[in-house]
Amino acid sequence: AKMLSHHLGQYIPGKPGIILQHMPGDGSLKAYNFLYTVAAKDGTAFGTGHRFVPILPLFDIKGTRFDGRKFKYVGSINKEVGVTIAWHTTPFKTFDDVLKREMVVGTTGWGIQITNFTSVFKVALGAKFKVITGYGGTRAINLAIERGEVQGRVGMPWSLLKYTKADWLRDNKIRILMQMGLRRHRELPNVPNILDVVKPKLDRSAIKLLLGPSDMGRPFLAPPGIPHDRLTALRRAFNKTMRDAGFKAEAAKYRMGINPMTGSEVQNLIARLYLSSSKEVIARAKVLTAQGFSRKSRNKKNK
């Protein structure tokens, strides 16, 4: 969002300045609720958050005050693949090791993709994860890994890992045990994908639903009710920014991959996820993520 704010305004009529407002809480749920219920609907407010949150209503999650289909999507900067990592001093060298002994992992809270996929791995594959929740964000989890408070984490975006923790990769401080995406990332050809490992058809269908938002890795969205001309202006500005030489140069500087989707493409993706998911698949996805939604994982604040 910070990177986008440096370039987007020049392509919006009137060339307005863009002000960033951080709104942490429940893995972006607070921000999505704000955009849906409170934010101005005149085109002056839009935002971004975790890609998984728009489909939370499919799972009847308490606290969701929106219909993910009714947001007006501006676009997405890239597609995303998550990775499960272990610190280099731990005994975990491959994912098979997680099936044999307990691995302590950190996450931010209940009901978000990081926590949900620890549950998926536990239920579908028998992974022996012990989850510590309550961290304030990615940086806090990363610091906990370096301190030895936890041994790794599930679902760290590959693009974010390269950007924020390039030294981990350069100095071989972590081992990448598994990737989670609808397809293998071209930069991780030798890392197994969860869809390569899970065999039952219903489980695979449920996991594909859970991974569906990964195709809109960095979504930007406006509130429902925004006038059509304002939405069109934001979408056009977003598309032009994705082709802007200055934006591309800044993205390259911070090793952020650019693989954009238009607002219409994101809108259609969300519609497909809602329409194509059968009750059976949703029910199985709920079972696979049950421990992620239960709020029963050990909380860091209560250690």
Side-chain angles (χ1 to χ4, degrees):
K2 183 178 181 180
M3 192 168 66
L4 185 70
S5 72
H6 296 161
H7 306 274
L8 184 72
Q10 64 182 313
Y11 296 114
I12 298 175
K15 298 184 177 181
I18 296 177
I19 300 170
L20 295 181
Q21 177 183 354
H22 296 276
M23 189 172 291
D26 279 342
S28 301
L29 181 58
K30 181 179 178 180
Y32 276 87
N33 282 337
F34 175 85
L35 280 172
Y36 196 85
T37 62
V38 178
K41 295 176 170 55
D42 58 1
T44 61
F46 69 104
T48 187
H50 198 283
R51 58 192 170 275
F52 187 74
V53 177
I55 69 169
L56 281 180
L58 283 173
F59 303 98
D60 301 320
I61 301 305
K62 185 178 180 180
T64 53
R65 297 159 55 197
F66 56 81
D67 182 332
R69 295 167 293 186
K70 293 183 180 180
F71 284 114
K72 300 302 179 182
Y73 295 87
V74 176
S76 174
I77 290 181
N78 71 351
K79 302 181 189 302
E80 195 57 84
V81 168
V83 292
T84 295
I85 62 173
W87 194 243
H88 66 106
T89 59
T90 69
F92 306 99
K93 297 181 179 180
T94 70
F95 193 80
D96 285 343
D97 294 325
V98 184
L99 305 179
K100 300 171 184 176
R101 64 173 70 191
E102 183 179 85
M103 177 178 172
V104 182
V105 295
T107 186
T108 53
W110 68 280
I112 65 169
Q113 195 170 39
I114 303 173
T115 313
N116 294 341
F117 268 92
T118 61
S119 178
V120 170
F121 281 125
K122 291 170 73 173
V123 177
L125 296 174
K128 299 182 184 299
F129 286 129
K130 180 178 181 180
V131 186
I132 308 297
T133 69
Y135 288 100
T138 294
R139 291 182 180 179
I141 299 173
N142 293 345
L143 183 59
I145 292 172
E146 292 176 332
R147 288 174 173 173
E149 185 176 325
V150 297
Q151 296 171 305
R153 58 172 294 185
V154 174
M156 184 171 190
W158 173 241
S159 64
L160 193 64
L161 175 60
K162 292 192 299 177
Y163 165 50
T164 61
K165 287 297 177 184
D167 61 306
W168 284 7
L169 297 171
R170 183 192 65 229
D171 300 333
N172 296 314
K173 292 182 177 180
I174 59 169
R175 304 183 184 108
I176 302 176
L177 309 181
M178 185 75 73
Q179 59 179 294
M180 297 104 73
L182 293 174
R183 58 196 69 83
R184 286 198 187 198
H185 197 288
R186 64 181 181 277
E187 295 175 354
L188 301 169
N190 299 317
V191 177
N193 189 325
I194 186 172
L195 291 174
D196 299 332
V197 179
V198 175
K199 300 303 180 184
K201 183 177 179 180
L202 183 57
D203 282 3
R204 288 175 58 82
S205 296
I207 291 171
K208 285 181 179 179
L209 167 61
L210 296 170
L211 289 173
S214 65
D215 268 1
M216 54 168 197
R218 304 289 175 191
F220 287 80
L221 58 153
I226 179 176
H228 179 72
D229 62 331
R230 306 293 175 90
L231 176 61
T232 299
L234 287 176
R235 285 179 169 179
R236 287 176 176 170
F238 184 90
N239 295 342
K240 289 179 179 179
T241 303
M242 295 301 101
R243 299 188 294 268
D244 180 82
F247 176 77
K248 288 183 176 181
E250 186 173 357
K253 177 181 177 181
Y254 295 113
R255 297 177 291 277
M256 295 290 284
I258 303 299
N259 188 6
M261 295 178 71
T262 67
S264 295
E265 289 171 337
V266 177
Q267 202 88 44
N268 291 337
L269 170 63
I270 293 294
R272 288 198 306 271
L273 290 174
Y274 271 80
L275 290 174
S276 65
S277 302
S278 68
K279 292 182 179 179
E280 183 183 28
V281 169
I282 293 173
R284 184 56 183 168
K286 286 182 178 180
V287 171
L288 292 179
T289 58
Q291 295 183 43
F293 286 134
S294 69
R295 297 191 189 229
K296 291 181 181 179
S297 299
R298 189 181 181 195
N299 194 301
K300 174 180 176 289
K301 296 177 181 178
N302 297 324
K303 281 183 63 181

